[in-house]
Amino acid sequence: MGDRKIKVALVGNPNTGKTSLFNQLTGLSQKVGNYPGVTVDKKQGSCKLPNKQTAIITDLPGTYSIHPTSEDESIVLRTLLQVEKEALPDVIVVVADVENLKRNLLLFSQIQDLKIPTVLAINMADQMKRKGISIDIQKLEKELGTKVVLISARSNIGINYVKEEISKLGATSITSDFSEIANRINSDYFHDLAKVSDRFTMYQLWLILVRNYSSLLSDTEKELLEPFKEDQSSLKKYQHKETIYRYQKINKIIGSAYEIDKNKANDLRSRLDKVFTHKIFGYVIFFGLLLLIFQSVFEWASAPMDFIDGLFADISEYFKGIMPEGKFTDLLTDGVIPGIGGVVIFVPQIAILFLFIAVLEESGYMSRVVFLMDKIMRRFGMGGKSVIPLISGTACAIPAVMATRTISSWKERLITILVTPFTTCAARLPVYAILIALIIPDKEVLGFLNLQGLTLLALYALGFIAAVVSAYVLHKRMKIKSNSFFVIEMPDYRFPSLKNIFLEVLEKTKAFVIDAGKIILAISVILWFLASHGGESYQNVAEEVRKEMKDTVFSEDEIEQKIASVQLEKSYIGILGKAIEPSIEPLGYDWKIGIGLITSFAAREVFVGTLATIYSVESDDEDTTTIKEKMASEVNMETGEKRFNLASGISLLLFYAFAMQCMGTLAIVKRETKSWKWPLVQLIGMTILAYVSALVSYQILS
């Protein structure tokens, strides 16, 4: 028994602290994957229990009912109905919010009728006194027929009691019986339904019928179930009655075991809500927080970024000094190390951005932003819930597109999917950061605002404006009829959990580095090969250049630099860059930047790594060893001016602000819309907008 791994599922309404409990139970022993056949994140982790047992904890998506209204919520039912048999839990821990126990118990009562051992963990127990709440635990356990544990996941209170109950494998007897409710709905109907299969309980068969999960049944069971597939209106009526009867029972339990005395409560929430959701001050505060975030991204990250930049330059030089000359050394020092350095250098900025987003979510403020923005968003064909994907898009567009599943209206969801990639994601941040550092002076405005930080804020604002304007155009053009309702839960304000924030920042930053690193490592190797090899003309470059410069006064270093430059131009990658140069020259780009544009269609952040690799192959100048220095020293041969000046820099910033350069996002959009039509509309439309914006800006500024 001690060696057995117990499978545990955490289930609960959104904002009940389920993820906080998951983090307390699993700590760093967690991983993120996907459920089979869908793109929803699957968070799992391991936990040591008493008696040397191990539990495999799965954090299921938040849901208000076992009858799902979105794809995220359907994961809960699919898991608990053995759609994926290997995921069927031994124990279910239902996490409830102490202040909203009545609503939470609806889901608990449904879960309990599945006849899987269940523990009820009532969270935020440390706030009971402040809220004027009292609970008779013994009476509640007796009425519910299960073990009830009071916890505070954020304060690590009661976690050991949860582990003890899990280790007992739900030793408390299961007294819940759906037949009591079934008899009140339609006794004959449900009595006959129970005879369809002895492998499932009556309630499981009812859920299989409602959700049409007939694949779980044998051919004989399918035939027996067919007569019960009445018209949809009857099934919905039965579902409605089920909810009513459950709440009637819950009301009796709550009335005898749970009490809220508002006279004893000392709640600051309503007063804070008046400020944070105010029709004027609410927007001022939100804008002020954004300004703080983007100022911090530059101010706090500058020192560690400079350190990382110099570190990778030193590493490259170190290996050049200790390794013998040859192709492998060139690959490592001119390809792999500069390419990876082009990603790692931006970890401080990305971590700071994720840190602020995690704090806003943990504190409960993000829900107020969603509420605040609902009226504005509706004018543009979206709703308050569309704000969540748009804000999530500041991390990555891929999970942001997945987050649209909580939007019930198909039209609103489709519009949100199509415009979310305009939001400035973490992959754009490396491009923005390096270009802003090159073309925008590092000076203060009004004595305390950093001009580079303001520029970054302006780019984020530009992305959001592009998203809402595009949404308005799509809203007017799309002839899709749909009704939508805005429902959002306002969680309590709370001090952010340092552990939750740490794990969130660590997980997302690690995912960015690993995912981007794999792409960049592969592309860096390919780029190095293409930039270091060529046809017959490439092979004779050194001889021709030396012959041409034989009678000149150039030093040996200058001759070597000329050879490297001409070799790059005649290499395979130079030929490719030259081929597209006529189409991008009006934007202020040369063939080297063109190569960066091509490779960054795999992922935007590849752009910086690409240029770092190209300039490393081309340059032998020991005075320009860092990525920033190499880009800053690049010169336009025709004009003699710096390649990255204000005109070309702004042009590139606008191109990356609007262009759809992320194959992963296109793949997810195709998957979510089940059509190639919409990702192609995205790709073509955003590319045209990016090209025209870059063209106009360069022609005006140059």
Side-chain angles (χ1 to χ4, degrees):
M1 184 72 177
D3 295 331
R4 184 189 170 192
K5 291 186 177 180
I6 302 171
K7 289 179 288 186
V8 181
L10 295 185
V11 181
N13 290 182
N15 297 311
T16 55
K18 182 169 54 64
T19 299
S20 294
L21 176 58
F22 175 77
N23 288 336
Q24 290 288 7
L25 290 171
T26 62
L28 294 173
S29 302
Q30 54 182 256
K31 60 182 181 179
V32 179
N34 288 109
Y35 291 95
V38 295
T39 51
V40 179
D41 278 351
K42 179 180 185 178
K43 294 183 73 173
Q44 278 191 326
S46 61
C47 170
K48 289 294 181 183
L49 301 176
N51 302 323
K52 297 182 180 179
Q53 294 173 300
T54 301
I56 303 300
I57 315 289
T58 302
D59 184 14
L60 294 175
T63 180
Y64 290 103
S65 168
I66 208 167
H67 295 289
T69 57
S70 68
E71 190 170 346
D72 271 20
E73 293 179 349
S74 71
I75 294 297
V76 179
L77 182 57
R78 288 168 60 86
T79 301
L80 302 182
L81 282 182
Q82 302 181 18
V83 174
E84 287 86 34
K85 290 187 178 181
E86 73 280 357
L88 186 67
D90 300 309
V91 179
I92 299 174
V93 177
V94 179
V95 184
D97 175 2
V98 70
E99 195 175 6
N100 298 292
L101 190 58
K102 176 181 175 180
R103 190 197 62 223
N104 295 170
L105 285 179
L106 171 66
L107 176 63
F108 172 81
S109 69
Q110 293 173 325
I111 296 291
Q112 202 176 28
D113 282 339
L114 295 173
K115 302 296 184 183
I116 300 173
T118 306
V119 177
L120 177 63
I122 301 179
N123 194 23
M124 305 177 198
D126 55 336
Q127 299 183 25
M128 288 174 59
K129 185 176 181 180
R130 186 168 61 86
K131 299 286 185 182
I133 298 172
S134 60
I135 303 175
D136 188 332
I137 295 297
Q138 291 184 338
K139 184 175 285 187
L140 192 61
E141 287 182 337
K142 182 180 178 182
E143 294 288 346
L144 295 176
T146 193
K147 188 66 180 176
V148 178
V149 182
L150 286 176
I151 68 168
S152 174
R154 302 168 61 78
S155 304
N156 199 21
I157 297 172
I159 306 302
N160 288 332
Y161 292 119
V162 175
K163 292 180 181 180
E164 287 176 13
E165 294 307 319
I166 291 172
S167 68
K168 294 175 185 177
L169 280 176
T172 307
S173 59
I174 301 171
T175 59
S176 177
D177 189 0
F178 179 65
S179 60
E180 180 184 335
I181 293 175
N183 289 337
R184 296 182 66 185
I185 298 173
N186 186 329
S187 177
D188 293 337
Y189 178 87
F190 283 97
H191 180 74
D192 292 338
L193 178 64
K195 297 177 182 178
V196 168
S197 172
D198 56 4
R199 297 188 302 119
F200 298 96
T201 66
M202 180 192 295
Y203 193 53
Q204 286 174 326
L205 285 167
W206 165 237
L207 293 172
I208 289 170
L209 174 66
V210 171
R211 299 302 302 173
N212 196 26
Y213 287 154
S214 56
S215 59
L216 297 174
L217 305 175
S218 66
D219 292 338
T220 303
E221 289 169 339
K222 288 178 185 177
E223 290 181 15
L224 292 173
L225 189 68
E226 200 63 35
F228 295 92
K229 294 182 179 179
E230 299 183 3
D231 61 277
Q232 287 296 312
S233 60
S234 296
L235 292 178
K236 286 183 180 180
K237 184 172 69 176
Y238 290 167
Q239 276 185 262
H240 183 61
K241 286 185 176 182
E242 177 198 337
T243 304
I244 291 173
Y245 295 147
R246 286 189 186 279
Y247 269 125
Q248 287 177 352
K249 185 177 180 180
I250 290 167
N251 285 336
K252 290 180 182 178
I253 296 171
I254 289 292
S256 62
Y258 178 86
E259 181 183 358
I260 299 180
D261 187 347
K262 290 294 184 183
N263 294 323
K264 296 180 181 178
N266 181 24
D267 196 2
L268 187 64
R269 171 177 162 175
S270 57
R271 280 176 283 174
L272 289 175
D273 275 347
K274 287 180 181 178
V275 176
F276 288 129
T277 61
H278 191 272
K279 60 183 180 181
I280 296 175
F281 296 120
Y283 296 105
V284 173
I285 292 170
F286 180 47
F287 182 80
L289 284 171
L290 290 178
L291 184 60
L292 171 65
I293 290 170
F294 299 122
Q295 288 290 306
S296 302
V297 164
F298 266 93
E299 292 288 344
W300 297 356
S302 60
M305 283 181 71
D306 289 341
F307 171 76
I308 294 170
D309 196 12
L311 177 64
F312 272 86
D314 292 342
I315 291 172
S316 184
E317 289 300 314
Y318 173 75
F319 280 104
K320 278 184 180 179
I322 65 170
M323 295 179 70
E325 291 186 8
K327 291 293 184 183
F328 180 76
T329 301
D330 292 343
L331 168 62
L332 184 65
T333 59
D334 294 338
V336 175
I337 293 175
I340 294 177
V343 178
V344 177
I345 187 176
F346 299 105
V347 166
Q349 289 183 321
I350 290 163
I352 290 169
L353 182 62
F354 288 151
L355 170 67
F356 276 103
I357 292 173
V359 168
L360 294 180
E361 289 177 342
E362 276 279 307
S363 64
Y365 177 72
M366 196 67 85
S367 295
R368 275 73 188 179
V369 174
V370 173
F371 174 79
L372 189 68
M373 298 297 290
D374 181 61
K375 286 184 179 179
I376 294 176
M377 301 303 288
R378 292 207 171 276
R379 298 174 185 173
F380 297 95
M382 296 182 286
K385 287 186 177 181
S386 298
V387 174
I388 296 174
L390 291 176
I391 293 176
S392 300
T394 58
C396 179
I398 292 173
V401 169
M402 291 187 233
T404 62
R405 293 173 182 175
T406 59
I407 303 171
S408 55
S409 164
W410 168 241
K411 183 177 181 180
E412 282 184 13
R413 184 185 174 204
L414 180 59
I415 290 174
T416 307
I417 287 172
L418 294 177
V419 304
T420 291
F422 278 116
T423 307
T424 299
C425 63
R428 285 186 175 103
L429 192 54
V431 183
Y432 287 176
I434 197 75
L435 290 174
I436 289 172
L438 288 172
I439 66 170
I440 303 297
D442 183 11
K443 65 179 183 180
E444 302 295 319
V445 178
L446 302 177
F448 68 99
L449 294 176
N450 183 278
L451 184 59
Q452 293 180 338
L454 285 173
T455 305
L456 183 62
L457 175 61
L459 286 166
Y460 272 78
L462 179 64
F464 187 79
I465 291 169
V468 295
V469 171
S470 301
Y472 180 78
V473 174
L474 291 169
H475 175 57
K476 294 298 182 182
R477 298 288 298 174
M478 285 182 175
K479 306 302 179 184
I480 301 175
K481 292 184 179 180
S482 65
N483 296 317
S484 65
F485 304 93
F486 178 60
V487 179
I488 186 168
E489 180 181 351
M490 294 286 201
D492 272 345
Y493 294 101
R494 48 188 182 262
F495 189 80
S497 164
L498 297 180
K499 183 174 184 179
N500 285 354
I501 290 172
F502 171 74
L503 291 172
E504 184 79 2
V505 173
L506 179 66
E507 176 192 315
K508 290 188 174 180
T509 305
K510 184 173 69 174
F512 174 83
V513 172
I514 292 173
D515 292 345
K518 286 187 293 188
I519 297 171
I520 286 175
L521 181 59
I523 290 179
S524 294
V525 172
I526 295 169
L527 283 173
W528 170 84
F529 176 82
L530 294 176
S532 303
H533 296 78
E536 188 176 340
S537 60
Y538 176 89
Q539 308 300 329
N540 301 322
V541 164
E543 184 182 338
E544 290 178 0
V545 170
R546 287 189 178 279
K547 187 176 180 181
E548 182 183 330
M549 303 178 73
K550 182 179 179 181
D551 299 325
T552 63
V553 292
F554 291 108
S555 67
E556 181 62 25
D557 286 342
E558 289 172 321
I559 294 172
E560 289 293 336
Q561 176 69 25
K562 178 67 174 177
I563 291 171
S565 180
V566 177
Q567 279 182 328
L568 181 64
E569 192 170 344
K570 292 184 178 295
S571 67
Y572 293 127
I573 203 167
I575 295 168
L576 177 63
K578 288 286 185 178
I580 67 167
E581 190 173 38
S583 63
I584 60 173
E585 197 171 5
L587 297 114
Y589 314 154
D590 64 357
W591 57 274
K592 299 172 193 172
I593 296 175
I595 294 165
L597 296 180
I598 294 172
T599 56
S600 61
F601 268 96
R604 297 178 183 96
E605 62 270 35
V606 174
F607 176 78
V608 179
T610 297
L611 292 186
T613 301
I614 291 173
Y615 295 155
S616 293
V617 171
E618 181 186 38
S619 176
D620 286 329
D621 189 351
E622 294 180 0
D623 294 329
T624 56
T625 54
T626 70
I627 297 169
K628 284 184 183 178
E629 289 171 345
K630 286 170 184 172
M631 293 180 72
S633 63
E634 183 70 5
V635 174
N636 185 333
M637 293 302 179
E638 291 184 6
T639 62
E641 298 178 357
K642 288 186 176 182
R643 170 59 65 186
F644 296 97
N645 55 25
L646 181 64
S648 62
I650 295 295
S651 174
L652 267 171
L653 286 172
L654 289 177
F655 186 89
Y656 276 93
F658 298 133
M660 169 55 114
Q661 287 179 289
C662 183
M663 292 188 295
T665 302
L666 289 171
I668 288 297
V669 172
K670 189 269 177 185
R671 190 167 189 174
E672 294 295 309
T673 61
K674 296 178 174 60
S675 168
W676 275 112
K677 172 185 174 182
W678 299 114
L680 287 174
V681 167
Q682 264 184 327
L683 177 62
I684 296 169
M686 292 179 71
T687 302
I688 291 172
L689 178 61
Y691 187 91
V692 172
S693 301
L695 175 66
V696 171
S697 65
Y698 181 75
Q699 296 300 325
I700 291 174
L701 294 173
S702 61

